[in-house]
Amino acid sequence: MSINFEKNGLIAHIKNSSISYILEVIDDKYLINRYFGKTIREYRETNTFQYFKRGYNTQHISSIEHLSFDDFPFEYPARGHGDYRIPAISITPSTGIDFIDLTFKEWRILKEKPKISGLPSTFSEEGETETLEIICEDVSSGIRVYMYYSIFDNLGIIVRHQKIENFGIQKVTINSAKSLSLELPAKDYDFLSLYGTHAKEANVSRFALHRGIQKIESARGASSPQHQPFFALLSPDTCEESGEVYGFHLIYSGSFSAEVEKDQFGNVRAQMGLNPDNFKWSLESGEIFETPEVVINYSNNGLNGMSQNFHKLYKSHLIPKKIMNQERPILLNSWESMYYDVTLDKIEQQSNIAQELGIELFVLDDGWFRLSNSSKTSMGDWKCNEKKLPGGINKVAEIIHKKGLKFGLWFEPEMISKASNLYSEHPEWALQIPNYPMIEGRNQYVLDLSRKDVQEYIINIFHEYLKDGKIEYIKWDMNRPLTEVNSLELDFGRKSEIWHRYVLGLYYVLETIISTYPNVLFEGCSSGGARFDPGMLYYTPQIWTSDNTDAFDRTIIQSGYSLLYPPIAMGAHVSITPNHQTGRITSMNTRYQVARLFNLGYELDLSKCQDYEIKEIAEQIAESKRNKKLIQYGDFFRHDVQNDNYSMWSTVNSDKTEAIVIIFQKFHNPIKSHCLFKLNYLNSDFDYCEKNTGKIYGGDELMSVGLSIPLIKSDFHAFAFHFEKIS
Ligand code: DGJ
């Protein structure tokens, strides 16, 4: 990993063994992007500019003949100068005009990766990253922009963010400040993103990039299940196992937008950051604003190569090290077996069986504080309903701890019910616009997390519950998007800041609680995956992937999320059949195989299971415990399969001596069942024993010829293989 200045300090070349990122200063003024992609040893300007005299254009005095800003590869473009594509930054200074002229001032290398104040970001230890700091400024407007690019050793990743300083004497307004703006050369690309909705998250959308702007966004106040704050640009022939990919992922949990513009010459500009529709920020003289961090990923090893980069980054540089170094507990969650109707008897009965089965953590979900068995009341009060649970949460903790299990408790801290003491006392704490109706979502309003008093209230609730160490796990839920997004407390001139201030408030609350209780494990959740993003992952190292627990649907949802997130970050539970969301019937084995390479849990009424099911679950748990290290620290791959009736996953340890491979058959189809499955991520020089059958195969044969599966007349069937290297 290195950052070198070349051409008398006019070129900066950021590189490691996988990637190069090259910037150049033209005319001592304009900062432009020259290249991003596979590592090159030395940059000697093979890609000289090819400009020619164009009509209906603008003139720029420059060392480049006929330079046109129309397609000039600006690194952080503003508007108004003759670059008519999407701007990365838009600021209205005291002129009242949305126009600034940022020019290059200086750059330098930082050995320590800078933190971003109030926002989650990737971290590194000494020697793991190098950072390029670039300063550009507009002296007339008093605006200085600091741009930070950090490169990690051995990862095809650069992370980037900006700091904007008002060094003038007048207030300025930031209308938009993207985290990413990247120029890519004219060629064909596919645009890939993840879209969805509640209970159907992370579906892959892929289409050929066309001229004009293509955009995805969330304007819901949270990252949302509608679009993941991610997209990738791929060569049209890219598949899971080969091809070029540029991937971008925003470390942020609020409204975002991501746009790609293909101009008239075919050049491509990719951008991502805070959604300008939900944003405006007043920057007083001397103040600084920081953008969220964006992850820029390049791989020429297909989508799996991109995923490996993201997974490694998040496992080593985003999820707290302390948590990453501990094996995650196999849990039992009460939601689908009790819903709101939680009782001590049920808890006693279920935790008894859980103990016998070897489950390690019992999570009491929603219902424990509600006055009735519905979502209508009590949000915000967080007082246990002792009519349901005599003795309160202490009693529940005692029951669970007696069985040797850890205890986890569900909260939805950002919400307030109309029918709550909190709302009677503090109606002003909810987001609202005076004289307009407040819209409920799941019978609740959203607390104004930009307020200090609200932040302190939530933090104190957690002190109350966590201070005596009886709760080892918190599930942090959030079940509605934001509406009437206004804070009664914010000054008139700052009203549009509320969207971002909400997220900053949330991060402040999480940071305070998590740093006070570093031993408590946090699970993120938002009606499943409605706020599954790297920002939340920083605080909540595992996230409930979807409210849809159906095994077949989960193969799609988990595959989608696995493009970005390591499997240990994704909660995957074995639930009851017929499934509560889809009514689909699948075998206990299929439900387990779909969940076992992820963060395994159970979410069904164990007291209603048949003896043979209990026996099966006990075997599953024993097997999963034996494989915990492989699952948590191994590398997860999706496989290209020739027949779309099948999908295939594998988890392989780092030295490729062990692998679990799972193949899913959607439907039994007698005429289409012959398909060979290549195990591409083994070592061709090793011999492997398949543990279930004792058969021995060469890695080369498994990788080149492929494996066939037996003919099983069953829909939604899962085939599992466990290979171990023999000496
Ligand atoms: C939505 C979550 O995704 C579920 O797992 C459950 O916790 C419910 N909320 C409880 O209200």
Side-chain angles (χ1 to χ4, degrees):
M1 157 191 78
S2 65
I3 300 175
N4 299 320
F5 297 119
E6 295 157 15
K7 203 177 169 182
N8 294 326
L10 292 177
I11 287 180
H13 186 167
I14 310 171
K15 73 170 170 193
N16 64 18
S17 54
S18 313
I19 51 169
S20 281
Y21 193 103
I22 299 172
L23 295 159
E24 182 170 2
V25 181
I26 303 279
D27 280 357
D28 287 334
K29 193 171 172 197
Y30 310 123
L31 182 68
I32 61 166
N33 193 290
R34 296 300 265 134
Y35 174 77
F36 174 50
K38 194 175 174 191
T39 313
I40 50 170
R41 279 175 284 123
E42 197 176 335
Y43 176 62
R44 295 195 180 97
E45 297 180 73
T46 47
N47 53 346
T48 45
F49 288 103
Q50 305 288 333
Y51 287 111
F52 52 92
K53 221 174 184 171
R54 291 177 189 154
Y56 194 63
N57 217 315
T58 47
Q59 287 175 320
H60 299 280
I61 301 151
S62 164
S63 53
I64 301 163
E65 203 185 0
H66 303 311
L67 165 76
S68 166
F69 278 1
D70 230 9
D71 60 338
F72 199 52
F74 282 113
E75 185 64 8
Y76 206 53
R79 60 167 103 238
H81 311 266
D83 174 352
Y84 298 96
R85 292 161 293 171
I86 36 177
I89 184 163
S90 154
I91 293 188
T92 309
S94 55
T95 55
I97 305 159
D98 174 4
F99 181 96
I100 54 165
D101 190 13
L102 287 177
T103 58
F104 175 82
K105 185 160 182 269
E106 58 184 301
W107 45 21
R108 63 184 176 126
I109 297 164
L110 308 178
K111 290 288 170 207
E112 206 173 309
K113 185 175 182 294
K115 290 204 167 67
I116 311 179
S117 130
L119 289 168
S121 60
T122 54
F123 52 78
S124 66
E125 278 168 15
E126 220 191 304
E128 288 179 334
T129 53
E130 275 196 14
T131 300
L132 176 66
E133 181 191 57
I134 309 173
I135 303 175
C136 294
E137 62 185 19
D138 174 339
V139 177
S140 308
S141 297
I143 303 296
R144 192 170 291 136
V145 177
Y146 301 78
M147 300 155 71
Y148 296 94
Y149 299 76
S150 301
I151 185 155
F152 294 81
D153 217 10
N154 294 324
L155 274 183
I157 296 269
I158 283 183
V159 291
R160 172 177 174 186
H161 80 280
Q162 276 70 231
K163 213 163 83 176
I164 299 163
E165 182 188 0
N166 177 359
F167 68 95
I169 44 171
Q170 307 272 11
K171 184 185 96 176
V172 305
T173 304
I174 307 175
N175 309 308
S176 166
K178 303 274 171 61
S179 299
L180 167 81
S181 188
L182 180 68
E183 310 285 314
L184 291 170
K187 67 182 189 97
D188 289 340
Y189 298 94
D190 280 359
F191 181 92
L192 183 144
S193 64
L194 293 175
Y195 74 96
T197 182
H198 174 239
K200 219 48 177 127
E201 299 88 345
N203 305 280
V204 172
S205 155
R206 179 174 178 166
F207 58 83
L209 201 64
H210 54 76
R211 305 277 163 163
I213 297 173
Q214 284 113 101
K215 178 177 175 185
I216 53 167
E217 66 168 1
S218 163
R220 292 163 200 258
S223 47
S224 92
Q226 275 68 29
H227 293 287
Q228 181 63 211
F230 152 80
F231 68 88
L233 296 172
L234 333 171
S235 300
D237 60 348
T238 294
C239 56
E240 291 290 4
E241 285 150 13
S242 63
E244 264 201 315
V245 189
Y246 300 88
F248 311 100
H249 205 190
L250 190 67
I251 305 183
Y252 189 63
S253 310
S255 299
F256 72 92
S257 79
E259 287 137 302
V260 183
E261 181 165 2
K262 185 169 181 170
D263 71 15
Q264 63 273 40
F265 306 105
N267 300 313
V268 169
R269 175 173 288 174
Q271 291 191 344
M272 185 178 261
L274 298 169
N275 190 335
D277 290 346
N278 286 170
F279 178 81
K280 243 188 202 0
W281 198 271
S282 288
L283 207 60
E284 299 288 344
S285 169
E287 280 185 348
I288 282 181
F289 179 83
E290 295 194 72
T291 70
E293 187 167 66
V294 66
V295 182
I296 309 174
N297 186 332
Y298 171 81
S299 156
N300 58 353
N301 292 314
L303 288 166
N304 271 318
M306 175 190 77
S307 302
Q308 285 304 310
N309 281 339
F310 279 130
H311 293 186
K312 292 200 165 101
L313 180 78
Y314 296 157
K315 286 206 268 192
S316 307
H317 302 283
L318 188 72
I319 295 173
K321 280 222 152 51
K322 185 177 166 63
I323 303 281
M324 211 44 229
N325 293 337
Q326 286 163 7
E327 286 177 10
R328 305 289 174 88
I330 298 175
L331 63 81
L332 177 69
N333 178 294
S334 68
W335 181 241
E336 285 200 12
S337 71
M338 303 183 201
Y339 290 108
Y340 299 102
D341 189 13
V342 298
T343 66
L344 281 187
D345 281 352
K346 290 183 192 172
I347 293 168
E348 176 86 51
Q349 205 181 19
Q350 295 226 21
S351 52
N352 247 337
I353 310 173
Q355 177 194 29
E356 283 163 24
L357 290 173
I359 283 173
E360 296 155 310
L361 164 73
F362 183 98
V363 181
L364 180 61
D365 210 285
D366 199 347
W368 59 270
F369 60 95
R370 306 269 195 188
L371 291 184
S372 61
N373 286 336
S374 82
S375 64
K376 293 212 171 92
T377 70
S378 323
M379 200 66 90
D381 291 347
W382 304 115
K383 291 263 170 308
C384 182
N385 179 350
E386 297 215 15
K387 286 201 183 110
K388 289 182 180 188
L389 302 170
I393 288 304
N394 281 344
K395 181 69 197 169
V396 178
E398 190 189 306
I399 294 175
I400 289 163
H401 286 149
K402 262 200 193 137
K403 320 274 180 219
L405 273 74
K406 290 186 171 154
F407 175 43
L409 192 59
W410 179 95
F411 283 88
E412 196 178 345
E414 297 155 73
M415 300 294 151
I416 178 166
S417 310
K418 198 170 181 181
S420 66
N421 294 332
L422 187 65
Y423 191 73
S424 315
E425 286 162 27
H426 290 292
E428 77 285 7
W429 280 11
L431 293 175
Q432 58 195 281
I433 303 177
N435 305 321
Y436 288 92
M438 290 163 73
I439 295 172
E440 287 181 319
R442 209 191 189 217
N443 303 303
Q444 62 209 33
Y445 302 135
V446 184
L447 282 168
D448 174 2
L449 263 84
S450 73
R451 294 177 68 117
K452 261 271 130 319
D453 44 11
V454 171
Q455 294 166 8
E456 293 313 319
Y457 177 80
I458 299 175
I459 290 167
N460 283 332
I461 296 281
F462 281 94
H463 285 321
E464 241 350 86
Y465 280 91
L466 296 178
K467 64 176 189 257
D468 57 11
K470 289 189 180 140
I471 300 174
E472 287 102 346
Y473 184 97
I474 294 289
K475 179 172 174 187
W476 184 297
D477 205 345
M478 196 270 197
N479 285 305
R480 56 157 294 178
L482 275 50
T483 52
E484 294 82 46
V485 189
N486 173 51
S487 169
L488 294 181
E489 213 184 43
L490 267 184
D491 289 346
F492 184 75
R494 290 194 174 267
K495 289 291 187 196
S496 316
E497 296 176 13
I498 177 67
W499 296 89
H500 185 51
R501 285 186 183 275
Y502 180 94
V503 181
L504 292 176
L506 169 67
Y507 289 155
Y508 167 75
V509 168
L510 281 164
E511 182 71 47
T512 310
I513 298 167
I514 283 159
S515 53
T516 317
Y517 303 101
N519 295 326
V520 176
L521 179 57
F522 282 76
E523 175 185 353
C525 176
S526 180
S527 300
R531 199 170 56 186
F532 199 148
D533 57 62
M536 287 309 288
L537 193 63
Y538 176 88
Y539 301 105
T540 60
Q542 56 194 63
I543 298 183
W544 179 226
T545 312
S546 176
D547 272 355
N548 185 341
T549 58
D550 174 76
F552 170 65
D553 282 0
R554 275 298 188 116
T555 59
I556 299 165
I557 297 168
Q558 291 166 204
S559 273
Y561 276 126
S562 79
L563 281 167
L564 309 169
Y565 300 100
I568 198 63
M570 293 184 227
H573 297 176
V574 173
S575 63
I576 201 73
T577 207
N579 181 267
H580 282 193
Q581 291 77 39
T582 63
R584 192 173 285 132
I585 294 175
T586 52
S587 70
M588 177 68 85
N589 180 53
T590 295
R591 281 174 272 151
Y592 163 66
Q593 298 299 347
V594 172
R596 71 185 280 213
L597 300 185
F598 295 79
N599 196 315
L600 178 68
Y602 288 79
E603 191 167 334
L604 73 178
D605 188 344
L606 294 172
S607 68
K608 295 213 174 90
C609 287
Q610 306 290 320
D611 288 350
Y612 74 89
E613 289 175 313
I614 290 289
K615 193 167 161 262
E616 210 176 329
I617 295 176
E619 286 166 7
Q620 294 170 354
I621 290 173
E623 180 180 57
S624 287
K625 283 186 172 171
R626 288 196 299 274
N627 296 322
K628 264 194 182 184
K629 280 209 166 55
L630 172 61
I631 304 302
Q632 184 158 333
Y633 304 111
D635 299 328
F636 177 86
F637 301 97
R638 301 163 306 276
H639 291 253
D640 288 317
V641 174
Q642 294 318 311
N643 181 334
D644 62 13
N645 194 37
Y646 299 96
S647 54
M648 176 177 173
W649 295 334
S650 66
T651 297
V652 185
N653 67 354
S654 59
D655 52 13
K656 298 185 185 293
T657 54
E658 199 178 358
I660 297 175
V661 178
I662 302 177
I663 299 167
F664 301 101
Q665 166 174 292
K666 251 182 253 175
F667 305 115
H668 167 63
N669 182 349
I671 53 165
K672 264 194 165 183
S673 54
H674 293 293
C675 186
L676 288 169
F677 299 89
K678 294 187 182 179
L679 275 55
N680 302 34
Y681 297 99
L682 300 180
N683 184 325
S684 56
D685 294 333
F686 293 171
D687 282 334
Y688 293 92
C689 172
E690 201 289 305
K691 284 171 75 173
N692 302 312
T693 57
K695 282 198 170 170
I696 291 170
Y697 306 93
D700 51 353
E701 186 180 342
L702 289 166
M703 295 170 77
S704 300
V705 179
L707 200 67
S708 60
I709 48 169
L711 197 80
I712 301 280
K713 292 186 179 170
S714 166
D715 295 342
F716 313 117
H717 190 81
F719 303 86
F721 306 88
H722 193 152
F723 294 96
E724 235 172 30
K725 180 189 177 226
I726 53 164
S727 38

